Amino acid sequence: MKIKENLDSYLKYVSNWEEKIGSFLEFDISRTKGMSTVEGQLAGIPFGVKDNFAVEGFNITCGSKILEGVSAPYTATSVAKLQAAGAVVVGKTNLDAFGMGSSTDNSAFKITNNPWDTNRVAGGSSGGSAAAVAAGIVPFALGSDTGGSVRQPASFCGVYGLKPTYGVVSRYGLTAYASSLDVVGVVARTVEMTKTVFDTMKGQDIKDNTSVSHPGSRNNGDVKKIAVLKIEDGSLSDDVAKSYLESRKLLEKLGYDIVEIELPSLEYVVPVYYTIATAEASANLARYNGLRYGYRSKNGNDPGEIMQTSRDEGFGDEVKLRILLGTYVLRSGFQDQFYHKAQKIRTAIRNEFDKIFELADLIMMPVFPTAAFKHGSTDLDPFQQKVADRYTCAANLTGLPALAIPSSIENGLPVGVQFTAPAFEEDRLFNIAKVLEKDFPSPLAPGTKNWSII
Amino acid sequence: MKNSKTKAKYQTFIGLEVHIHLITESKVFCGCRNVFGSEPNTNVCPVCMGYPGVLPSLNEEAVKKAYQVAMALNCHLNEKAVFERKNYFYPDMPKNYQISQFEFPFGVDGYFDLELADGSTRKIRIHDVHLEEDAGKMIHEGSQSKLDYNRAGTPLLEIVTEPDLVTGEEAEAFVQQFRQMVRYLGVTDGNMEEGSLRCDANVSINEFGKGLGTKTECKNLNSSRFIKKALEYEIKRHTKVINSGDTIIQETRLWDESSSKTSSMRTKESSNDYRYFPEPDLPPYWPETKFLADIKESLVELPGIRKNRFIDEYGINQQQALFLTSEKSMADFFETVVEGDIEDKSLPGTVASWLSGNVQKILNNSGQGIEESSLSPRRLLSILNMIKKDKISTGIGKKVLGLVFEADKDPEDIVKNMGLDEGPDESEIFRIVSDIVDANPKVAEAIRDGADKQIGFFMGQVMKATSGKANPGKIQKLLREKILTGPEKN
Ligand SMILES: [Zn+2]
């Protein structure tokens, strides 16, 4: 259905679904009118942007009280490139504050529900983006992926979630959580849309000195041999284990050369991830002090005190926990024990992945050990949620590209599977995804439909 | 130290941390202008204000200047330079961490040849040269605190010496000579009042041979004179404390110029753990061989070396050479004038004495630097040429010099417009000389008989008759010719 021709019914659809899922923190279709004339590959396509990206004309709250009401004074490079190609930002999506979480329950403003079951989370931290796409409100949305924050919610909501190679998409304008792990990611309904958005955004940016130009695939993205991670019994929920096994069988049926592998270093992924990510976060989040913008506490007599009270009152518990952890691992005298050690293991993990890619074109592994869990701590407590990041964090620690692909519906909930490719081999991910999409396209949640071009 | 007893007993160790503001078009990690004295918070952008999502983008111009200083200080250049985050909270620092360098700065293990009062030099070891960003400024006005972020993110180069200096006087000399060097390099204006050059000093004393003592750090040293005074105060204080059997507390102390004392600011125990770690937003910097070679190639001759060359090459004295090379602009000016007439072997001496005398006197009065004045090397050479060719006298030359500064005109035009060169030519002078001598035969006779002093009488007469425009040497020469040949007999 075209939005432009059915604007009223679209808006009604959106408000209906928003009441149920709460995927947007800000939604403003009005500003799309003036922009829908831009020519380009994405002309007139509406999209949502996770609220930790800067988009001029919108707020940038990062889901935290400390940035409540802050409007972005500039636009992120990734967003600007999509706008230049004709795409239109319709709103800012909900997230776990500063990207810290797997449920979007850590947003200071509201919770986001899964369109498949509103008692369940949409995943996180890009839960708003995934829910908005799954509910059909937008054909794609931007997320950020520091430890799986795009892939896990995409998997929970039955859509595609791409984490590109580190540095290929400019991070300028994406609020830093952990700078060496953060990437701009895409949540989309189709493989084609995922690829188009990625191709539009990629490229070196002088504003991001860690960005690189994309050299292209070395083998036209051909996929013949796939390494499938062997899963220990009991590591996955029954539903996810079943779906994973079926994905493997499907690949065999489709004629791919399958080799089963083990990745012993996965054992260290979570502790290494939380050491590095929190260390960087402790510095990245130091700038929020209420003096120049954002929440300023009324308790405090001088700038030094105001900084302390504003941070105390403005940050949520999960963010404080990670800042404390990061401060701890960076203390002088403790760096060898924690931060430096984590960096060494990080290199070892990358080496292990590189070895696998000497014998296979892609690695297949689960996205998350369970399907979407229920709000609160009934299914998975916050610690278990962190432990469950093992399959997604690896791609961030290694910098490698990875894609979450919908693989089946189990007991009414979508389940996904993840493919990881060598650096700059996003095309291999798109190729395998297109093959599998024919067999199982992104499923429509009950009551949803796809809206498209404005 | 003047106290010889103390000198015998204790050894003093002084190390300096010198910060210089680099002259660059833009700030070190964003496109904002890098200028001093703008309206508060006008040279700011999302990057230097630390808005969410911004990233630093390294300014290559600042990097080049950092390498220039590292090279001039004979540093080993790290194959890979790494930026790190120095974490501490302060209201004037937008990100609450400073991007700096720690483990792999641009330059390490260098030295500076310090010229001592007795003319000898000593190598002062340089620990490292690293690039960082400056913070903003917080001003307290009554119950209000005001923050100005114009300075936030401007490029700052920190030079850390080893504790190789021994007296306050040496430290002062180091800062003066170092300042001269970096001004020569053109990397900073070195203005201490505006904070373009800032210096912290640490000092410790200990019994001879026992190595470093417990050090204190002095801050708020806004002039090289304060550095000397603060260090001398601290050395005395340390000596007194140690002599009385107490121990020095490691701490930071502030120099107060009005009371000529230092006072405790904070003890090291309560100071920050900076939790340095590599800046993930900036990849390690690997300078290319060609890049470094080009910088090396472009390095200017440093003042000490240039001074010695001036003495050797131009035969001018130590004092003049020291004066001429104190500022690069003056030394460049001198050499440009001299190159204007390389045949004239006496020119360097003449130019040196004009620059250190007449010219400097005018510059002192106006407070201008030579490069911003209206005297150009060509103009000075032209004045000197007119004197040399007897077109004008030295006295008129000085007058013309003054007018060049005042009116910003070429000396030739000044001389022409004011009729300063319209002195009589030689035949005209000779006619006047003849008339006057012929009119006073007795005086001429007396001179011929040995009353040489009476020539002054004729000089006066001729000068008067030529309105002072004729060259006195020429008059005297013609007078003597005329008097010797005796009265004309027609
Ligand atoms: Zn700026």
Side-chain angles (χ1 to χ4, degrees):
Chain A
M1 287 262 288
K2 288 208 171 192
I3 294 170
K4 204 178 197 172
E5 291 145 23
N6 304 279
L7 190 60
D8 286 346
S9 52
Y10 174 68
L11 289 176
K12 200 165 161 233
Y13 179 87
V14 171
S15 67
N16 270 344
W17 269 102
E18 271 304 280
E19 228 165 84
K20 282 186 243 174
I21 60 170
S23 63
F24 281 90
L25 289 173
E26 242 185 310
F27 186 89
D28 187 357
I29 190 83
S30 68
R31 63 195 76 179
T32 64
K33 287 175 188 163
M35 296 185 66
S36 55
T37 52
V38 178
E39 299 280 328
Q41 211 171 1
L42 294 166
I45 295 182
F47 70 111
V49 180
K50 192 179 181 180
D51 203 21
N52 57 350
F53 286 76
V55 183
E56 229 176 326
F58 288 91
N59 285 343
I60 177 163
T61 69
C62 296
S64 173
K65 184 179 163 187
I66 207 160
L67 290 176
E68 191 168 5
V70 174
S71 61
Y74 69 103
T75 298
T77 302
S78 51
V79 175
K81 283 186 162 185
L82 295 171
Q83 287 174 327
V88 179
V89 180
V90 294
K92 302 297 289 293
T93 58
N94 199 15
L95 69 159
D96 289 301
F98 293 102
M100 298 178 176
S102 311
S103 62
T104 312
D105 285 353
N106 296 329
S107 166
F109 305 111
K110 59 176 171 185
I111 57 166
T112 294
N113 299 321
N114 194 309
W116 290 83
D117 177 352
T118 53
N119 292 315
R120 293 176 185 270
V121 301
S125 62
S126 312
S129 291
V133 174
I137 296 173
V138 282
F140 80 91
L142 291 190
S144 62
D145 191 317
T146 307
S149 282
V150 160
R151 290 161 285 157
Q152 184 255 27
S155 173
F156 278 16
C157 294
V159 291
Y160 294 89
L162 172 69
K163 181 242 166 240
T165 309
Y166 181 82
V168 158
V169 179
S170 169
R171 288 186 294 121
Y172 186 76
L174 165 62
T175 304
Y177 158 20
S179 314
S180 76
L181 304 165
D182 293 340
V183 295
V184 173
V186 186
V187 181
R189 176 62 83 182
T190 65
V191 179
E192 193 53 44
M193 181 62 83
T194 310
K195 179 173 159 47
T196 306
V197 172
F198 168 71
D199 284 341
T200 305
M201 293 194 299
K202 70 186 180 188
Q204 198 168 19
D205 178 13
I206 52 161
K207 291 180 183 144
D208 176 1
N209 287 9
T210 65
S211 68
V212 291
S213 62
H214 198 291
S217 171
R218 281 159 295 173
N219 68 343
N220 294 318
D222 278 355
V223 178
K224 290 190 182 78
K225 200 165 182 180
I226 297 171
V228 173
L229 181 68
K230 187 184 170 205
I231 301 297
E232 300 291 318
D233 284 347
S235 313
L236 306 176
S237 72
D238 292 347
D239 289 346
V240 175
K242 177 171 167 269
S243 182
Y244 188 68
L245 192 66
E246 277 164 13
S247 292
R248 177 183 173 155
K249 282 181 185 157
L250 177 61
L251 292 176
E252 279 167 351
K253 198 184 94 188
L254 291 167
Y256 290 101
D257 196 352
I258 301 297
V259 52
E260 192 171 76
I261 56 143
E262 286 177 48
L263 285 168
S265 68
L266 275 190
E267 209 53 55
Y268 305 102
V269 158
V270 171
V272 167
Y273 169 79
Y274 277 95
T275 303
I276 293 170
T278 59
E280 293 179 8
S282 71
N284 282 330
L285 272 64
R287 68 190 60 193
Y288 310 114
N289 61 10
L291 295 186
R292 301 174 315 287
Y293 52 79
Y295 175 77
R296 183 186 292 181
S297 169
K298 291 183 174 60
N299 306 309
N301 296 314
D302 58 57
E305 266 179 44
I306 291 168
M307 288 203 294
Q308 286 185 24
T309 50
S310 299
R311 288 169 66 77
D312 184 36
E313 295 162 24
F315 284 134
D317 287 346
E318 182 65 33
V319 172
K320 283 180 187 166
L321 173 73
R322 297 195 194 195
I323 291 174
L324 284 172
L325 190 56
T327 307
Y328 180 82
V329 300
L330 283 176
R331 282 183 310 161
S332 86
F334 290 79
Q335 291 206 350
D336 283 345
Q337 199 179 334
F338 297 113
Y339 186 71
H340 293 155
K341 198 176 200 173
Q343 292 292 7
K344 277 182 199 148
I345 302 173
R346 182 180 186 174
T347 306
I349 296 168
R350 169 72 192 247
N351 291 341
E352 202 171 278
F353 272 78
D354 285 348
K355 276 227 171 71
I356 304 289
F357 287 125
E358 284 170 14
L359 52 99
D361 301 317
L362 291 174
I363 299 172
M364 184 182 95
M365 62 174 90
V367 181
F368 200 77
T370 69
F373 48 84
K374 284 184 179 141
H375 287 293
S377 300
T378 45
D379 284 356
L380 284 176
D381 69 29
F383 179 73
Q384 288 170 317
Q385 289 177 29
K386 290 182 175 71
V387 173
D389 287 341
R390 60 188 307 189
Y391 302 115
T392 47
C393 286
N396 301 86
L397 290 171
T398 55
L400 300 174
L403 181 66
I405 295 171
S407 56
S408 66
I409 303 291
E410 307 292 341
N411 292 318
L413 290 176
V415 174
V417 67
Q418 177 179 217
F419 289 87
T420 305
F424 309 114
E425 294 295 342
E426 281 84 358
D427 280 353
R428 292 188 200 173
L429 299 173
F430 298 136
N431 283 345
I432 192 77
K434 273 179 190 164
V435 173
L436 297 177
E437 190 178 33
K438 279 178 204 146
D439 189 86
F440 186 78
S442 170
L444 280 184
T448 61
K449 59 181 173 183
N450 281 326
W451 291 84
S452 65
I453 300 177
I454 292 176
Chain B
M1 293 221 20
K2 293 192 176 75
N3 187 335
S4 59
K5 256 165 82 185
T6 313
K7 200 171 190 178
K9 195 170 172 192
Y10 297 118
Q11 203 171 354
T12 304
F13 303 91
I14 297 169
L16 298 177
E17 285 173 19
V18 188
H19 286 92
I20 54 172
H21 250 138
L22 297 181
I23 300 170
T24 52
E25 276 292 308
S26 52
K27 293 184 179 184
V28 63
F29 298 122
C30 67
C32 289
R33 291 200 313 145
N34 173 24
V35 287
F36 178 83
S38 303
E39 281 292 299
N41 298 311
T42 52
N43 296 322
V44 293
C45 72
V47 175
C48 56
M49 288 290 272
Y51 265 78
V54 297
L55 296 170
S57 185
L58 182 60
N59 179 345
E60 191 103 317
E61 196 190 356
V63 172
K64 277 184 189 162
K65 292 195 164 157
Y67 275 118
Q68 283 180 4
V69 175
M71 285 175 185
L73 290 171
N74 311 290
C75 283
H76 165 72
L77 306 179
N78 275 321
E79 188 187 4
K80 164 185 88 163
V82 176
F83 287 95
E84 305 212 21
R85 291 184 183 179
K86 182 181 182 179
N87 296 286
Y88 62 100
F89 281 84
Y90 205 74
D92 67 6
M93 199 164 58
K95 299 187 295 298
N96 286 311
Y97 60 81
Q98 180 192 31
I99 302 178
S100 182
Q101 297 182 310
F102 187 62
E103 204 182 343
F104 302 99
F106 284 127
V108 292
D109 299 333
Y111 63 85
F112 181 82
D113 280 319
L114 180 69
E115 224 170 282
L116 302 170
D118 64 3
S120 65
T121 60
R122 198 167 79 235
K123 283 194 184 343
I124 306 300
R125 291 172 300 154
I126 302 297
H127 180 272
D128 78 275
V129 173
H130 64 263
L131 181 62
E132 59 192 22
E133 57 181 337
D134 205 349
K137 269 183 190 162
M138 183 158 63
I139 308 137
H140 300 287
E141 279 177 17
S143 63
Q144 278 194 317
S145 300
K146 294 182 172 178
L147 287 156
D148 176 7
Y149 293 100
N150 279 346
R151 202 179 65 182
T154 56
L156 208 55
L157 197 67
E158 181 173 344
I159 294 92
V160 183
T161 78
E162 297 287 357
D164 288 351
L165 297 154
V166 179
T167 63
E169 200 180 333
E170 273 188 20
E172 182 184 26
F174 178 90
V175 171
Q176 286 169 344
Q177 290 172 35
F178 174 79
R179 177 175 178 275
Q180 187 193 35
M181 183 193 87
V182 288
R183 279 173 56 82
Y184 248 74
L185 291 170
V187 298
T188 183
D189 64 22
N191 188 327
M192 288 188 86
E193 286 97 74
E194 289 179 3
S196 304
L197 192 154
R198 306 200 288 265
C199 184
D200 299 333
N202 57 67
V203 57
S204 72
I205 67 168
N206 209 349
E207 282 173 38
F208 266 87
K210 289 201 169 173
L212 301 170
T214 305
K215 70 178 177 183
T216 54
E217 193 181 1
C218 298
K219 285 186 183 287
N220 205 26
L221 307 174
N222 300 326
S223 83
S224 54
R225 198 169 48 87
F226 294 180
I227 293 165
K228 174 172 178 260
K229 286 168 77 180
L231 284 168
E232 286 176 350
Y233 176 87
E234 272 299 288
I235 293 164
K236 266 187 205 147
R237 193 183 67 83
H238 281 224
T239 308
K240 212 165 146 190
V241 169
I242 291 172
N243 279 343
S244 71
D246 283 343
T247 47
I248 290 289
I249 304 160
Q250 184 172 334
E251 61 181 354
T252 300
R253 299 179 68 90
L254 278 184
W255 171 249
D256 178 38
E257 176 60 14
S258 57
S259 65
S260 287
K261 277 181 183 158
T262 64
S263 59
S264 181
M265 189 171 125
R266 60 163 186 249
T267 56
K268 213 69 185 173
E269 281 78 19
S270 65
S271 76
N272 285 301
D273 170 2
Y274 292 123
R275 307 191 307 279
Y276 279 102
F277 75 99
E279 167 57 274
D281 289 334
L282 294 167
Y285 192 86
W286 302 84
E288 285 177 23
T289 319
K290 165 119 179 32
F291 175 78
L292 293 179
D294 288 349
I295 294 173
K296 187 123 214 173
E297 184 81 8
S298 72
L299 270 193
V300 299
E301 189 181 24
L302 295 176
I305 295 164
R306 199 169 193 186
K307 186 198 75 189
N308 292 333
R309 179 170 66 78
F310 275 19
I311 295 170
D312 294 346
E313 196 173 324
Y314 300 118
I316 56 177
N317 65 41
Q318 168 90 15
Q319 206 60 36
Q320 283 175 328
L322 200 61
F323 165 79
L324 290 172
T325 54
S326 63
E327 292 285 338
K328 182 172 178 290
S329 53
M330 185 58 85
D332 289 347
F333 192 99
F334 168 78
E335 292 213 273
T336 315
V337 181
V338 168
E339 277 157 20
D341 186 358
I342 47 168
E343 298 300 312
D344 185 350
K345 296 300 168 209
S346 68
L347 186 58
T350 311
V351 177
S353 66
W354 271 71
L355 287 175
S356 59
N358 304 328
V359 172
Q360 188 55 33
K361 213 178 289 167
I362 296 170
L363 291 175
N364 283 345
N365 285 336
S366 68
Q368 273 184 318
I370 193 153
E371 72 284 0
E372 50 189 356
S373 79
S374 39
L375 184 70
S376 64
R378 201 201 58 75
R379 283 173 171 177
L380 180 60
L381 185 63
S382 132
I383 295 174
L384 298 179
N385 271 336
M386 285 191 280
I387 295 172
K388 189 176 141 198
K389 289 179 183 151
D390 289 331
K391 220 176 164 196
I392 53 170
S393 66
T394 305
I396 297 288
K398 281 185 196 173
K399 204 170 156 191
V400 172
L401 179 74
L403 290 168
V404 168
F405 276 103
E406 260 174 48
D408 190 11
K409 282 183 180 145
D410 285 339
E412 299 89 332
D413 295 341
I414 292 170
V415 166
K416 205 169 172 188
N417 293 340
M418 303 196 64
L420 293 172
D421 68 334
E422 282 169 14
D425 64 11
E426 199 162 322
S427 61
E428 175 69 7
I429 300 170
F430 189 72
R431 196 187 54 73
I432 295 166
V433 164
S434 290
D435 290 353
I436 291 173
V437 171
D438 288 348
N440 298 281
K442 278 186 187 156
V443 184
E445 185 67 37
I447 292 168
R448 275 194 296 274
D449 289 347
D452 201 51
K453 274 188 181 165
Q454 297 220 29
I455 199 151
F457 165 77
F458 283 133
M459 284 294 291
Q461 295 281 311
V462 178
M463 289 295 270
K464 205 172 154 193
T466 57
S467 314
K469 283 180 190 167
N471 183 305
K474 196 150 285 172
I475 300 171
Q476 198 164 59
K477 187 181 130 237
L478 295 171
L479 269 173
R480 290 196 185 284
E481 276 175 33
K482 172 66 189 167
I483 293 164
L484 281 175
T485 52
E488 253 178 277
K489 289 171 178 113
N490 293 346

